[in-house]
Amino acid sequence: MYHKPMTDITKVRDLIRNSKHTVVLTGAGISAESGVPTFRGTDGLWRKYRPEELATPEAFHRDPLTVWEWYQWRRGLIAECHPNAAHQLVVSWEKNLPHVSVVTQNVDGLHRLAGSTDVMELHGNIWEVRCTREGTVKEDRTHPFSSLPPLCSCGAMLRPNVVWFGESLPSAVLERAFEEVQTADLCIVIGTSSMVQPAASLPYHGLSSGARVIEVNPQHTPLTGHATVSLPMTAVQFAEALGIHEG
Ligand code: NAD
């Protein structure tokens, strides 16, 4: 189905107000104004490494200490960050619209911290650890760990419970995310480069099932030309345009 492009924030407001089933898809950009660096921004680097070199099973196998030092640095950084007006806007939709779910590529936990209750974390959560022997997962907000790499009570190494480059996404979470976009009438895509698969394909599944797609991103992305409306603004500017202010 072809939907005429719209540019007016008033029309965006109407699309949101009239939605019976909204799915919010978020990426690193929604947390950027909370102070969490995106991977592709200039501040996405740590020491001399790129995330693609550290967030891999091979890197962990080769050098678990360096990978854990990076995660410890990121955990410390995220611990200082608070949800921003865009996270709060998503919570307000959950309160005011019939059905709202959140599918995020973020591992920072800021959606839940803001108060969203139906959050699908496609790439895991940086505040969870997983035993490399037993596979058990638990929340662990220790910061900093007294020694690295942290160990499970069974003596095996723990790893961050996040999805690394080259690993599969949790299948039940992914399945539900696809179901959500295919039954939604509105997908709101905030702050994702729309380049990391399979998350990047979710809005297209929504479009082909008849959903409208609103994209919020200050940069042009592969999705921009396909979205029903694309708003070239930051996540917080979007929240402010819709009446949610910081503080
Ligand atoms: P990305 O780093 O590839 O892209 C971020 C996107 O956000 C870009 O398109 C950029 O233009 C946009 N952006 C930047 N500032 C913005 C703002 N203020 N408002 C709105 N948009 C803004 O991130 P991605 O597409 O989410 O995916 C890459 C991977 O990075 C994911 O796997 C994710 O797990 C991981 N990641 C997560 C976090 C986090 O948890 N906060 C941070 C960095 C990377």
Side-chain angles (χ1 to χ4, degrees):
M1 196 191 299
Y2 175 74
H3 300 296
K4 195 165 163 285
M6 298 183 283
T7 49
D8 190 345
I9 195 87
T10 313
K11 289 179 181 164
V12 167
R13 193 178 277 122
D14 285 346
L15 278 177
I16 295 170
R17 194 181 291 136
N18 294 326
S19 167
K20 303 272 180 293
H21 183 167
T22 305
V23 182
V24 187
L25 305 167
T26 65
I30 195 170
S31 297
E33 287 155 290
S34 290
V36 186
T38 64
F39 278 179
R40 287 176 177 75
T42 47
D43 48 0
L45 290 176
W46 174 76
R47 298 188 189 160
K48 59 189 185 319
Y49 300 100
R50 294 187 305 125
E52 293 84 345
E53 293 163 16
L54 291 163
T56 72
E58 295 76 21
F60 188 69
H61 182 72
R62 198 173 48 240
D63 187 356
L65 180 59
T66 301
V67 172
W68 258 116
E69 282 173 348
W70 182 56
Y71 275 99
Q72 174 129 295
W73 171 75
R74 289 189 71 205
R75 284 164 64 105
L77 195 148
I78 291 170
E80 299 293 313
C81 296
H82 304 286
N84 63 46
H87 297 100
Q88 285 152 14
L89 176 66
V90 177
V91 177
S92 77
W93 291 331
E94 185 179 317
K95 287 188 181 140
N96 297 314
L97 297 174
H99 178 122
V100 177
S101 58
V102 180
V103 179
T104 188
Q105 296 170 77
N106 294 345
V107 298
D108 55 34
L110 290 182
H111 281 297
R112 287 184 202 279
L113 197 59
S116 288
T117 60
D118 189 2
V119 184
M120 286 155 265
E121 292 174 323
L122 292 178
H123 293 166
N125 190 309
I126 201 162
W127 298 112
E128 291 174 352
V129 290
R130 186 159 91 227
C131 175
T132 53
R133 180 186 296 151
E134 300 166 327
T136 44
V137 173
K138 65 172 186 182
E139 185 178 275
D140 189 336
R141 291 187 169 261
T142 307
H143 184 79
F145 285 110
S146 52
S147 67
L148 291 178
L151 300 180
C152 179
S153 52
C154 78
M157 243 189 300
L158 292 167
R159 59 164 279 181
N161 189 38
V162 299
V163 177
W164 284 332
F165 292 98
E167 293 186 320
S168 306
L169 274 63
S171 55
V173 180
L174 189 60
E175 210 170 292
R176 174 142 188 258
F178 274 102
E179 272 168 28
E180 281 290 301
V181 290
Q182 282 162 352
T183 47
D185 55 30
L186 183 64
C187 296
I188 307 176
V189 185
I190 307 174
T192 171
S193 57
S194 292
M195 282 163 63
V196 181
Q197 293 294 355
S201 70
L202 287 166
Y204 296 95
H205 283 269
L207 279 172
S208 61
S209 309
R212 309 290 183 106
V213 172
I214 298 168
E215 183 191 47
V216 180
N217 197 315
Q219 305 291 328
H220 194 278
T221 78
L223 179 66
T224 305
H226 301 273
T228 316
V229 193
S230 193
L231 297 171
M233 53 177 68
T234 74
V236 167
Q237 286 167 347
F238 175 58
E240 289 178 349
L242 291 182
I244 303 275
H245 296 272
E246 296 283 8

